Structure formats: C-alpha cells, structure tokens
C-alpha cells in the first residue's frame, strides 16, 4: 500500500486523499490532495482569487450528459479549465508519486513497459466517462495510446467483490450480531467486545502492509458454488450495487443483474449541510461567501468533515462546528446583522449558537443531514433485492469510504439483517483499491457481465409491404429499402461472457472509399425496432480505416470488412479485418466525439 498521504486532518486516518487539485494562476500544476487544500487555504485572500482550485470533481464527468473532450470544469474562483486537463493533472501526479515509490524499492524498473495501470471507475458510469478516463490517462502519460492494453479500467464494486471473496473471517466485521448496533448493547460485555473490535480495526487501519491471500478465505468455506451476494460500494460521490454469483469449478464470478446505483455518495451529506446553511443565512449570502472567501469556505467544510465522521446513531451529545472568523465578519458586513441573530430567527431546529463562536448542532440535526442520502441507499438496495433475478442473496458486503460511517452501517443493518448477512471488511475504505490490484493480476476473474444498455446500428433492410411504415421507404437502384432499422448487437441486461464476440460485415458504399464510419445507437429498453424510436440515441461511432487495395487487372474489387465487437469486458472493444486479404484493419470505437 502507498504510504500515508502527507497533510491531512486531525482525527482522520489518511489512507485516502481528497480529490482536490490546485493550479497556479497560469494554469500550471501546483499540488494535489491535502497539500493542495492546505496551500490554497493559506494563500492571501486577494492572491487566492487568481489560483484555480478544484475539489470533489470526479462525479462531474458522470453528471455531464453530453461529455466530450472539450467539457469544462469550473474552479472555485469561477474560471474554467478543460475537464480532460484537470483529470490528467491528477493522474500524472499519481503516476509520479507511485513511480517514485516503486523505484525506491526496485531501481531497475522500466516505467514504460514494466507497469500495468488499473484505474477504477463507478460501475454506473456510462461508456463516454470510461473512455474519458482512458483519454485522460493517455494525456497524463500513464501509458501510450499505442499500448492500450497496459491500462485497465476496473469497475469499483467488481474490484470490491473480488477482494471480499478473498477475505478471511478475522478481516470481517459481521454486523449481523445485532446487539452491537442498536445503540443499546444487551450487556456490558458486548459493549467491551465491540470496543476491542474497534481498537483492532483502528490498529489494522494504520498498518501499512497487506497480503494478497491465495486460495479462498474461510468465509467462503460456508459459501457454495451458486451462492449469490450483493456488493454495495458506497463512496464519496456514488453508490454502486453489483450482484455476483460464484461459478464452479474455477470460482470465477458471474454478474446476475446489471450494475445499478446513483449519485448518493457521502457528498450528499455535505450538500445537505450547505442547504442547511443556506436556510439559516440565506442562499445568496452563502453563494457570495463561497466566491469571495473560497479558502474560508474550504475551512468550514473541513470542520464539518471531521464532525461528520463522528456522527453515530446512538450519540446523544451535541456537536460543535467552529465558524471561521471571516464567515462571521463577512456575514455582518453583507447583511448588517449578527450570525447569532440569524440563528435565533431561523426556522431550522436543533441548531443553536454557542457563546464560543460555534454552530452547536444537536445529534438529531446531524442525523437529519444523513437521512436523505442514507434513505436513497437503503431504498436502492431494497429495490434491487426485489428483482426476480436477484432472489436468494446470502451476503451483503458494505464497502467504500462512506461504509465507514456508523450511521450508514446502522441503517443498512436494521433494514436487511433479516434477509441476509451484512458484512463489512475491516479496511472498508481500501477494499476497492486492493481488489483493483487483484483484478490487474487476473482480469478474467469476472467471466460474465450484464450489458447496461441495448447497443446496435442503423441498417437498410428490404422493404416489406404491410410490415414497414411508408415513411421509411427508400428507392435505391430500382430496389425498395426500409431505412433506420435498429440492428441489435446486444440487449440491455443480456448476459455477456468474456470473449463473446458480435460480428457484422460491412461493405464500403463506393469504390476507393478510405474510411467507413458507423454510428452506434443505444437505448435503455429492449424492444427497439427503429433508430428513430423514442429513447434511442446516438452514443458513439465505429471508425474503420480502409487501406489501399491492389487492383486486379485494373478492376477494383468489392471489399468486405468484418467487424468484431466485444461487450463482455469493462470497456466495449472493436477489431476489424479485411475479408479478402485477411489483414487487420484499424478500428476504433468512440463515445466522446458526439
């Protein structure tokens, strides 16, 4: 494991670093993570306005509906930079960090040929976002586009699943022992054993080494082939749910239902806090404060973050969040009244002003901030369990950074412990990282996935009277054709195994043509007949390069290109061959240039 990140907050173990990036006023890389956050915060306020600070930006490429290479992100000071650059800066920083550490251990390392990189993304991300990550990695110099296979895109809950099935029992906290988590331990001994477990958890979090177990962990001695389990990966931005079944004899994994989830990550709690502040102090004040005093805003959110991590269902005492002096001062100037007055007048319950200059929140107020996000997560898991394909779940693994929160643990536990065993790995925030390493060692471990959408292309078919609508009729060279027919490559939620190939042949429309461009369409429904049907959208293109062809006795021959598409991997791939010459044709699939 990477050694601890420098910087960090008091009271938070830092095996993870926040997604914060700082660029100098002329848009050059300055720092990342805690270092970026703290440096930005220590800048002179006047000077800070020219620096570009980005935070929590990973989710932006999921929420942007028409993501392209040109999509921009806005820094805290309102200036815009291409998202691709922002991501590349972050990835480049990771690369240098990692290569530096590896070289200390292995000086002869070839950094270009010797490393396979694995980047993890949420499973609910669409193809453009996955391709975007790959392009950002090329730009950052992780690998060269000539050797795409040196970079793997791994799906986060899949990685977690791969790791969870390797765990041994002592690395798990089984939440199904209910007495712990209702907040009213049945007797003192339970309480003390829980304290011991927590202490052990704390120690293990600080240990730097971890071993990849060979063979199956003890937990799985209870699991038979055919057993089904859900991995709920709760991170900062998203919640991702995957359902896997263990296949015999190799113990490979099979996905039973397409990955689902949504933007219900821990950031939702931060947004709820911001909403609460808007309710108390007025939205226009909070927005102005963020723009005019960005560093102080970051400060306030750091204070909230530390408190957020101590929130627990059985906690009854108040939480204090210190307001930065500039917040109090700026509020007085902006509104001509005191922060104290605003709190007294506000309709927000359970939040008071403490004489020490702090927001004093009752535990109920804190719990309320968690509720919307946690309810979404519980409802999502519940909906998934109702699906017929997902019957007979034995285990629910709760992983990801947000899964460290007792609030979330308690909610999931009380909702589902009747139905299945709820299990949390010890170093729950790092489960995905470790699983991604295992995936990099053997990407074939997940053998069957479900297609998240229906994919296909538009084609011409012979026009059939009575079957095809008149407006689709096209006369061409004396023949009647029906246009816009959706030729399906793969259907939504269809099982696709690794190595499954969908093949189609394409002939260039005219002689001497140098390139074939084929539009790919997708839809979230299965019963699609025409590419003009509602819900069908163009989502990408396949580009086939046609090399020059030898003319036989001056006659140019008809050519046929056979394209093979793979949908069973974490990314959609395409290869193509010239049937006549059996030569490989350059083929690329592009989801970003719409």
């Amino acid at each position: 494991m990477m050694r601890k990140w420098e910087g960090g907050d008091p009271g938070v173990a830092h095996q993870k670093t926040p997604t914060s990036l700082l660029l100098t006023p002329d848009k050059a890389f300055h720092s990342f993570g805690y270092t970026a956050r703290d440096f930005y915060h220590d800048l002179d306020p006047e000077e800070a306005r020219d620096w570009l600070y980005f935070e929590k930006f990973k989710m932006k490429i999921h929420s942007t509906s028409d993501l392209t290479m040109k999509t921009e992100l806005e820094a805290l000071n309102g200036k815009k930079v291409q998202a691709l650059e922002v991501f590349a800066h972050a990835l480049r920083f990771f690369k240098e960090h990692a290569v530096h550490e590896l070289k200390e251990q292995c000086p002869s390392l070839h950094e270009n040929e010797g490393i396979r990189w694995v980047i993890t993304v949420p499973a609910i991300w669409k193809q453009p976002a996955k391709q975007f990550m790959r392009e950002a990695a090329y730009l950052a110099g992780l690998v060269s586009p000539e050797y795409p296979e040196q970079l793997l895109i791994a799906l986060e809950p899949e990685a977690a699943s791969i790791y969870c099935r390797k765990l041994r029992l002592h690395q798990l906290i089984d939440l199904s022992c209910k007495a712990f988590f209702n907040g009213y331990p049945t007797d003192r001994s339970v309480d003390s054993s829980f304290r011991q477990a927590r202490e052990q958890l704390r120690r293990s979090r600080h240990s730097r080494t971890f071993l990849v177990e060979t063979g199956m962990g003890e937990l799985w001695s209870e699991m038979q082939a055919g057993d089904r389990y859900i991995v709920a990966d709760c991170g900062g931005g998203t919640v991702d749910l995957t359902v896997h079944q263990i296949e015999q004899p190799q113990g490979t994994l099979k996905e039973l239902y397409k990955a689902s989830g949504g933007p219900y990550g821990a950031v939702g709690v931060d947004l709820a806090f911001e909403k609460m502040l808007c309710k108390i102090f007025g939205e226009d004040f909070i927005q102005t404060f963020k723009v005019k005093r960005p560093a102080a805003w970051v400060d306030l959110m750091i204070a909230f973050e530390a408190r957020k991590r101590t929130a627990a269902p059985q906690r009854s005492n108040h939480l204090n969040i210190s307001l930065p002096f500039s917040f109090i001062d700026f509020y007085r100037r902006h509104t001509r009244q005191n922060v104290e007055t605003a709190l007294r007048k506000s309709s927000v319950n359970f939040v008071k002003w403490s004489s020490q200059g702090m927001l004093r929140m009752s535990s109920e107020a804190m719990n309320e901030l968690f509720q919307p996000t946690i309810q979404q997560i519980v409802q999502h898991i519940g909906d998934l369990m109702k699906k017929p394909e997902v019957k007979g779940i034995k285990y629910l693994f709760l992983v990801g950074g947000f899964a460290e929160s007792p609030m979330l643990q308690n909610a999931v536990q009380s909702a589902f412990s009747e139905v299945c065993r709820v299990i949390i790995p010890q170093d729950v925030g790092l489960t995905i990282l470790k699983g991604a390493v295992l995936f990099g060692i053997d990407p074939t471990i997940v053998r069957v996935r479900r297609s998240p959408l229906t994919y296909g292309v538009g084609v011409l078919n012979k026009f059939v009277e009575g079957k095809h609508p008149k407006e689709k009729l096209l006369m061409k060279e004396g023949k009647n054709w029906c246009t816009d027919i959706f030729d399906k490559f793969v259907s939504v939620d269809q099982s696709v195994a690794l190595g499954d190939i969908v093949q189609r042949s394409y002939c260039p429309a005219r002689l001497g043509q140098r390139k074939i461009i084929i539009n790919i369409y997708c839809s979230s429904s299965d019963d699609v007949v025409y590419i003009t049907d509602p819900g069908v959208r163009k989502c990408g293109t396949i580009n086939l390069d046609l090399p020059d062809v030898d003319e036989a006795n001056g006659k140019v021959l008809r050519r046929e290109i056979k394209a093979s598409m793979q949908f069973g991997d974490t990314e959609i791939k395409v290869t193509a061959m010239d049937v006549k010459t059996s030569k490989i044709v350059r083929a690329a699939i592009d989801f970003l240039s719409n």
Side-chain angles (χ1 to χ4, degrees):
M1 289 292 300
M2 200 65 211
R3 288 195 285 264
K4 296 267 193 310
W5 291 96
E6 69 268 32
D9 299 335
V12 179
H14 320 296
Q15 281 181 312
K16 297 187 84 161
T17 186
T19 315
S20 310
L21 173 76
L22 183 61
L23 304 181
T24 64
D26 48 11
K27 299 192 178 173
F29 176 83
H30 179 275
S31 48
F32 185 86
Y34 290 113
T35 324
R37 197 191 67 184
D38 297 343
F39 184 91
Y40 180 63
H41 162 247
D42 293 339
L43 280 169
D44 174 75
E46 285 307 307
E47 207 184 333
R49 284 182 199 178
D50 299 327
W51 288 66
L52 293 95
Y53 179 73
F54 299 88
E55 60 171 8
K56 300 177 184 161
F57 53 81
K58 183 176 152 188
M59 276 302 286
K60 293 286 193 304
I61 68 169
H62 170 68
S63 49
T64 307
S65 52
D66 48 349
L67 183 67
T68 69
M69 307 281 267
K70 300 264 186 296
T71 300
E72 293 185 317
L73 294 181
E74 196 173 309
L76 217 50
N77 65 359
K79 291 190 182 145
K80 294 195 164 133
V81 178
Q82 285 199 350
L84 201 65
E85 307 252 329
V86 173
F87 277 76
H89 278 307
L91 293 171
R92 195 176 300 116
F93 169 75
F94 297 151
K95 177 193 170 166
E96 286 162 9
H97 221 59
V99 168
H100 177 75
E101 190 143 328
L102 286 170
K103 282 205 162 148
E104 278 180 5
Q105 295 164 22
C106 166
S108 60
L109 176 79
H110 267 286
E111 61 181 272
N112 291 344
E113 294 84 70
I115 305 176
R116 171 185 281 172
W117 296 89
V118 182
I119 295 181
T120 67
V121 304
I124 54 168
W125 274 18
K126 306 206 168 51
Q127 290 300 327
K130 294 178 189 171
Q131 185 186 336
F132 181 91
M133 265 318 212
R134 181 171 278 282
E135 298 293 346
Y138 292 154
L139 183 61
L142 256 69
V143 300
S144 127
E146 267 68 82
Y147 303 106
E149 63 290 335
Q150 271 182 258
L151 168 68
L152 294 178
I153 300 284
L155 306 181
E156 284 158 13
E158 256 181 35
S161 173
I162 293 166
Y163 180 66
C164 284
R165 39 165 299 195
K166 293 237 186 266
L167 288 171
R168 296 200 174 283
L169 270 181
H170 63 80
Q171 292 174 302
L172 298 166
I173 302 172
D174 187 343
L175 287 191
S176 302
C177 317
K178 281 216 201 57
F180 286 2
F181 267 86
N182 292 344
Y184 307 103
T186 41
D187 62 315
R188 296 306 302 162
S189 67
V190 170
D191 193 34
S192 66
S193 65
F194 178 55
R195 264 212 303 282
Q196 278 169 339
R198 206 161 57 189
E199 182 52 32
Q200 185 192 348
L201 179 75
R202 202 181 61 74
R203 271 196 229 115
S204 71
R205 257 195 218 140
H206 288 276
S207 73
R208 285 184 187 164
T209 51
F210 87 98
L211 301 169
V212 174
E213 309 261 348
T214 49
M216 300 294 163
E218 292 154 37
L219 175 74
W220 307 106
S221 56
E222 306 171 32
M223 270 195 129
Q224 289 86 41
D227 274 354
R228 301 160 164 222
Y229 59 96
I230 293 179
V231 174
D233 165 17
C234 310
T238 43
V239 167
D240 245 350
L241 305 175
T242 339
V243 191
H244 278 160
Q245 182 170 28
I246 295 184
E247 298 184 302
Q248 267 331 54
Q250 320 81 342
T252 46
L253 300 176
K254 170 175 162 191
E255 192 175 18
L256 294 179
Y257 187 76
K258 64 178 195 291
S260 63
Y264 320 126
V267 173
V269 185
D270 303 350
L271 292 173
F273 176 64
E274 191 179 320
K275 252 196 204 132
M276 183 191 85
L277 291 177
C278 289
K279 215 165 146 189
I280 299 172
F281 301 108
E283 185 155 355
D284 67 320
F285 166 72
I286 295 293
Q287 296 314 330
T288 315
F289 178 70
K290 279 166 84 168
V291 175
K292 291 278 197 292
R293 298 281 185 276
W297 173 254
V298 171
D299 230 19
L300 178 54
M301 289 316 282
I302 292 170
F304 175 69
E305 179 71 25
R307 286 279 153 270
K308 177 175 90 177
R309 286 168 184 268
T310 63
Q314 57 273 47
R315 193 189 160 118
S316 54
N317 49 341
H318 281 64
L319 299 139
N320 285 335
I321 295 167
S322 54
L323 287 176
F325 171 73
S326 67
F327 184 95
I328 298 169
D329 182 52
F330 195 75
Y331 186 72
R332 195 178 303 129
R333 287 194 213 169
H334 189 268
T335 61
R336 305 253 185 297
Q337 58 169 338
N338 286 340
V339 167
E340 223 172 318
T341 324
L343 277 160
R344 250 206 323 275
K345 283 188 187 164
S346 100
S347 59
V348 177
N349 287 334
F350 306 125
V351 182
K352 302 272 173 284
W353 172 249
S354 98
S355 53
Q356 299 162 15
M358 297 187 179
L359 273 185
R360 191 164 166 70
M361 288 179 74
S362 70
S363 52
E364 291 91 345
M366 188 53 126
N367 292 6
E368 232 164 77
L369 297 181
F370 277 83
Q371 279 328 300
T373 305
I374 285 180
Q375 277 165 1
Q376 295 268 29
I377 294 172
V378 169
Q379 185 180 346
H380 225 89
I381 299 173
D383 290 348
L384 180 63
M385 285 189 170
K386 289 192 191 88
K387 303 263 189 263
E389 303 90 329
V390 186
K391 278 212 276 294
I393 294 294
K394 268 206 171 169
Y395 298 93
L396 170 60
F397 288 101
L398 201 55
V399 303
F402 194 19
E404 290 177 9
S405 161
M407 302 289 292
L408 180 60
Q409 292 179 358
N410 182 57
V412 170
Q413 175 51 28
S414 42
F416 303 111
S417 59
E418 307 287 315
V419 202
C420 59
R421 282 179 66 183
V422 180
I423 290 177
I424 302 185
Q426 261 187 18
D427 44 4
V428 57
L430 299 174
T431 314
I432 290 146
L433 188 57
K434 296 174 180 181
V437 175
L438 297 172
F439 178 75
I441 294 167
D442 177 16
T444 62
I445 183 145
V446 180
R447 200 187 61 80
V448 182
R449 291 186 174 85
R450 298 285 180 138
S451 174
L453 293 165
T454 299
Y455 288 101
V457 293
V459 293
L460 295 175
N461 274 357
K462 283 205 174 67
F463 190 87
V464 180
E465 283 292 339
K467 176 183 168 189
H468 293 138
K470 281 276 187 288
E471 65 269 18
K472 300 283 182 199
L473 175 64
L474 174 78
M475 309 274 290
K476 203 172 167 188
E477 293 161 13
K479 291 204 179 88
N480 286 355
W481 298 98
C482 176
T483 62
D484 292 343
I485 286 187
F486 190 99
D487 171 25
K488 214 178 278 182
F489 290 161
V490 56
S491 295
V492 62
D493 210 28
Q494 179 184 331
S495 287
V496 208
L498 269 185
D500 277 5
I501 284 175
V502 178
Q503 284 189 328
R504 294 285 190 276
S505 291
Y506 296 104
C507 299
R510 11 169 248 287
L511 302 173
Q513 190 173 329
R514 286 299 173 83
K515 204 180 186 108
I516 301 181
I517 296 180
I518 298 153
N519 288 336
I520 304 175
Y521 294 87
C522 67
S523 162
S524 51
S525 99
D526 187 23
D527 45 352
V528 184
V529 185
Y530 301 103
I531 59 174
T532 49
D533 288 355
V536 177
R537 55 192 174 83
K538 179 185 162 214
C539 62
T541 53
I542 298 177
N543 303 308
L544 305 175
D545 285 355
L546 306 178
D548 296 337
V549 80
D550 303 330
E551 300 186 6
N553 319 330
K555 275 212 312 249
V556 183
L557 302 166
R558 245 337 259 242
R559 322 178 47 189
E560 185 188 340
I561 306 293
K562 188 185 265 173
S564 309
M565 283 145 298
Q566 273 189 328
F567 290 90
D569 217 325
T570 57
E571 299 170 273
I572 296 175
K573 302 198 167 88
V574 61
T575 53
M577 187 178 86
D578 190 326
V579 177
K580 266 254 156 31
T581 60
S582 299
K583 276 200 184 126
I584 294 292
V585 177
R586 250 182 69 106
I589 192 160
D590 180 18
F591 291 98
L592 283 176
S593 61
N594 281 330

